[in-house]
Amino acid sequence: MQGCNLSCIYCHNPETQKECCLCGICLETCPAKALLITDNKIIYLKDLCQFCDKCLQVCPYFSSPKYFRITAWELSNYILKYNEFLNGITFSGGECTLQTPFIIEVSKQVKNNSPLTIFLDTNGYVHQSGWELICNHVDGLMVDLKAFNSKTHHYITGVDNSLILENIKYASRQGLLYEVRTVILKGINDSQEEINNISNFIKELNNYTLFKLIPFRPYGVKHPLKDTVYPDKNHFEKLFQMAKTVLGEGVKKPLDISL
Ligand code: SF4
Ligand code: SF4
């Protein structure tokens, strides 16, 4: 979903952060003439697109000409059409909780008409009342915890982590905290203390939440730090094993961690 309330330095899909402001810059770089601006809207002609992503690379406003609007009714019907091939759906972004009323509406329609589960992949930076509301309508949450140290978290995301930590605790109490995820950035949040703190924080919450450590990769990243935050493979492995000593089998990493 389009739009985000954080500005992470390692964002892999920065084109999802903001809405298009119709500046027209991407129109000039599109080799296929697949983009138009008309009636104060950007039009993306998918049939002409060569999928080169030049439009995403040149957009200076962290947006994309390719996102589109859809009603809750349209999306629910689309999901329900494929119901028999699915176990569930996950909303992600951007930050999906910025569109909580939409998610609730889709969730109601999907749950009333299928056994599908509804999960969110979220940064957890949501006002308490909004978080409690959305927790009533989903089956599980994957929440990013970009750093345990508050200053480090602020450096990575632009915001303090106290609200996120409280929301993680609330989700845990509701039995909804499926997974906590941390992207490991060299020299920024890759200290043993940092990973130890996150592991122990999760351990004290419950005995069911998974902790997923993800090595930073530079794909799609626009921030100037993209060439310096690649973690060392041995160091990543050491952090992973350290988390395992606290959480046992409750620790995961991506299957492919070629660094
Ligand atoms: S990806 Fe973007 S720039 Fe490339 S052809 Fe498609 S619309 Fe044009
Ligand atoms: S997608 Fe970006 S570059 Fe293209 S018109 Fe919108 S704001 Fe401008």
Side-chain angles (χ1 to χ4, degrees):
M1 297 171 86
Q2 192 73 13
C4 189
N5 48 4
L6 303 187
S7 321
C8 298
I9 57 174
Y10 63 72
C11 184
H12 294 283
N13 45 13
E15 72 279 2
T16 63
Q17 288 183 14
K18 305 280 183 238
E19 292 214 11
C20 170
C21 66
L22 303 175
C23 72
I25 290 172
C26 60
L27 273 63
E28 292 163 22
T29 53
C30 175
K33 304 277 176 257
L35 302 170
L36 306 168
I37 291 180
T38 176
D39 295 334
N40 273 335
K41 275 190 287 191
I42 191 150
I43 312 281
Y44 166 54
L45 302 168
K46 195 173 179 184
D47 288 346
L48 295 182
C49 180
Q50 297 172 1
F51 305 101
C52 64
D53 283 352
K54 284 187 178 146
C55 49
L56 307 185
Q57 288 154 18
V58 298
C59 177
Y61 299 105
F62 296 86
S63 189
S64 160
K66 299 187 195 179
Y67 74 86
F68 57 93
R69 296 185 190 278
I70 188 168
T71 66
W73 187 84
E74 287 167 334
L75 181 58
S76 312
N77 279 338
Y78 182 79
I79 294 163
L80 291 169
K81 207 165 112 186
Y82 297 102
N83 168 18
E84 290 179 14
F85 303 101
L86 305 171
N87 292 322
I89 60 166
T90 300
F91 289 93
S92 68
E95 174 48 36
C96 59
T97 59
L98 293 178
Q99 299 180 57
T100 291
F102 177 85
I103 292 176
I104 290 174
E105 199 46 48
V106 174
S107 173
K108 281 183 189 166
Q109 291 181 30
V110 168
K111 282 182 167 294
N112 284 342
N113 294 288
S114 77
L116 296 178
T117 57
I118 310 280
F119 276 61
L120 302 188
D121 180 351
T122 168
N123 64 29
Y125 193 60
V126 186
H127 188 276
Q128 186 190 350
S129 56
W131 187 251
E132 291 177 9
L133 179 64
I134 204 148
C135 281
N136 289 332
H137 293 273
V138 298
D139 299 294
L141 299 160
M142 282 82 79
V143 188
D144 294 346
L145 181 54
K146 325 267 181 177
F148 196 76
N149 178 289
S150 178
K151 280 189 185 158
T152 308
H153 191 278
H154 197 284
Y155 176 72
I156 295 172
T157 66
V159 304
D160 172 77
N161 64 4
S162 50
L163 178 60
I164 296 165
L165 291 171
E166 286 310 309
N167 284 341
I168 287 176
K169 288 181 199 165
Y170 180 85
S172 170
R173 291 196 295 276
Q174 303 305 306
L176 295 173
L177 188 63
Y178 175 73
E179 188 172 276
V180 171
R181 298 171 166 180
T182 303
V183 173
I184 306 298
L185 306 159
K186 185 177 180 180
I188 296 174
N189 67 350
D190 66 343
S191 69
Q192 296 194 14
E193 183 188 8
E194 185 65 34
I195 300 307
N196 207 26
N197 283 341
I198 298 177
S199 303
N200 280 301
F201 172 66
I202 295 170
K203 189 177 181 186
E204 282 168 24
L205 290 177
N206 63 58
N207 58 6
Y208 69 86
T209 297
L210 297 168
F211 178 28
K212 188 170 186 181
L213 285 87
I214 306 168
F216 167 83
R217 291 163 206 229
Y219 312 120
V221 176
K222 280 189 172 171
H223 194 277
L225 277 178
K226 70 178 190 298
D227 297 324
T228 63
V229 290
Y230 234 92
D232 169 80
K233 189 172 184 176
N234 290 336
H235 185 62
F236 179 82
E237 202 52 44
K238 204 161 141 188
L239 296 177
F240 180 76
Q241 291 305 330
M242 207 187 70
K244 267 194 131 178
T245 61
V246 180
L247 291 165
E249 292 309 305
V251 186
K252 283 171 52 183
K253 60 185 173 185
L255 290 178
D256 166 25
I257 58 154
S258 48
L259 296 171

